Amino acid sequence: MAQMTMIEAIQSAHDVAMDRDERVVVFGEDVGYFGGVFRCTAGLQEKYGSHRCFDAPINESGIVGAAIGMAAYGLKPVVEIQFADYMYPAYDQIVSEAARIRHRSNGDFTCPLVIRMPTGGGIFGGQTHSQSPEALLTHVSGLKVVIPSNPRDAKGLLMAAIDDPDPVIVLEPKRLYNGPFDGHHDRPVVPWKKHALGDVDDGHFSIPLGEAAIYRPGSDLTVLTYGTMVYVAEAAANETGLDVEIMDLRTLLPLDMDAIETSVAKTGRCVIIHEATRTSGFGAELSAVVQETCFYALEAPVTRVCGWDTPYPHAQEWAYFPGPDRVAAAFRAVMEA
């Protein structure tokens, strides 16, 4: 057991996987010699050689396309898209090739591919370094999609993704790389190494895909969220004094419906929170499934707190970012409904 940042936990997952299985190869823009723009692959090229950890041209379609071919051939590529905002040139490869190989080959081929992408805002990255495109990925049959919220989950989910025989998208909230962020941008951030969730097992372990976690138990209302918004929800719960149950979904596809139904049946109220834009965001899917499966348990309408339907702004980041004040207002409204 060691104390790690999320960056170190992700690097450790790569290291353990590459040591256990020589079929694991890691590549992307600047991930080799430089160790990645966020240093999530630091030291891997030096340890395993440039044939297993290497730099790729600035061509996301080429990175993912080459990785799909490697996966079909029998390798286990783990590739990095430098920011989730850059994944769009590779979207056709992800949707039409990676997600479809098992089906279109009648099971003759699989695609054991992991695509890592830093996601979300809160870093003054503006519209091209702050997007949250998870809904575009959860819409695609054949993919699995995960979003960790802490170092232990980051390593365990990445290990499970690498072990999976099908393509997995790992979205990493970059605002959480060095510590939890509760939305109060004017306050100091507690580093992971001073946080209980910074304790991470050194060796191999995995967290099963498709299992949510109760981050904070409660009885007044259920929060369904993931990534950075776990800590924003916690701050809002503390500031309102409500007994809020916060569910960290961890895996968006497949979704842990048993956990969702159990929690909403207990509390009778549900608030959904995510950074992405509201319209057609993943929260709409969550709202629909809660309404379909928990209708008779609900005491109030399902409520969403999301980013606005605009490009992610630079100058007005904290007006866009769903902070604790907006979340707290939603909590109060649901309790009064």
Side-chain angles (χ1 to χ4, degrees):
M1 187 77 72
Q3 289 184 316
M4 300 184 189
T5 65
M6 190 179 285
I7 291 170
E8 291 167 338
I10 293 165
Q11 193 277 346
S12 177
H14 284 91
D15 187 15
V16 171
M18 295 178 78
D19 185 62
R20 293 176 75 236
D21 190 341
E22 64 181 12
R23 295 174 299 166
V24 176
V25 294
V26 176
F27 64 99
E29 296 164 14
D30 295 323
V31 307
Y33 179 80
F34 193 59
V37 67
F38 293 105
R39 302 299 189 271
C40 291
T41 55
L44 297 179
Q45 186 179 85
E46 182 179 3
K47 183 173 183 179
Y48 295 102
S50 58
H51 64 296
R52 292 189 62 200
C53 180
F54 54 90
D55 297 321
I58 303 175
N59 185 332
E60 287 76 18
S61 178
I63 292 168
V64 174
I68 293 168
M70 291 178 176
Y73 183 75
L75 298 175
K76 301 182 75 172
V78 182
V79 301
E80 177 181 291
I81 302 297
Q82 201 166 79
F83 289 86
D85 315 59
Y86 300 167
M87 70 106 176
Y88 303 108
Y91 192 64
D92 178 48
Q93 294 283 352
I94 294 169
V95 173
S96 302
E97 304 298 337
R100 306 286 191 249
I101 284 179
R102 178 185 288 275
H103 179 79
R104 71 195 297 181
S105 70
N106 197 29
D108 288 342
F109 291 93
T110 60
C111 189
L113 163 65
V114 176
I115 304 175
R116 295 178 39 252
M117 307 182 197
T119 190
I123 64 162
F124 299 101
Q127 63 181 350
T128 58
H129 297 81
S130 305
Q131 296 175 51
S132 298
E134 62 268 17
L136 296 174
L137 298 161
T138 57
H139 186 68
V140 181
S141 300
L143 298 180
K144 296 182 176 74
V145 181
V146 304
I147 303 185
S149 68
N150 59 74
R152 186 178 188 282
D153 284 359
K155 180 173 180 179
L157 290 169
L158 181 53
M159 295 298 311
I162 294 171
D163 292 340
D164 200 273
D166 293 301
V168 183
I169 310 295
V170 179
L171 296 168
E172 301 163 1
K174 51 188 174 288
R175 190 61 177 81
L176 299 182
Y177 271 152
N178 291 302
F181 177 62
D182 65 4
H184 289 294
H185 60 92
D186 53 346
R187 300 179 185 176
V189 174
V190 176
W192 284 120
K193 293 188 177 182
K194 294 183 178 180
H195 195 284
L197 291 174
D199 291 334
V200 182
D201 294 335
D202 292 313
H204 178 272
F205 75 96
S206 62
I207 294 171
L209 305 184
E211 289 190 9
I214 299 298
Y215 175 77
R216 182 185 194 269
S219 59
D220 284 343
L221 63 93
T222 296
V223 169
L224 303 180
T225 192
Y226 45 89
T228 305
M229 292 297 108
V230 169
Y231 305 101
V232 175
E234 180 183 34
N238 291 337
E239 290 164 21
T240 58
L242 293 170
D243 190 21
V244 177
E245 178 149 294
I246 300 173
M247 182 177 298
D248 182 357
L249 294 174
R250 302 197 295 190
T251 303
L252 304 188
L253 191 67
L255 196 58
D256 190 347
M257 282 305 306
D258 288 342
I260 291 172
E261 291 178 35
T262 299
S263 180
V264 175
K266 178 178 71 172
T267 67
R269 291 173 168 83
C270 182
V271 176
I272 297 162
I273 312 171
H274 60 61
E275 287 186 59
T277 50
R278 178 184 176 90
T279 299
S280 299
F282 190 66
E285 175 67 16
L286 291 172
S287 180
V289 298
V290 169
Q291 187 78 0
E292 290 166 359
T293 61
C294 305
F295 179 80
Y296 292 105
L298 290 171
E299 301 290 342
V302 178
T303 297
R304 288 178 287 162
V305 184
C306 312
W308 306 118
D309 287 340
T310 68
Y312 200 105
H314 182 78
Q316 303 296 328
E317 176 150 24
W318 304 118
Y320 179 94
F321 190 90
D325 289 344
R326 283 173 58 195
V327 174
F331 289 174
R332 294 188 185 100
V334 166
M335 294 303 297
E336 294 168 3

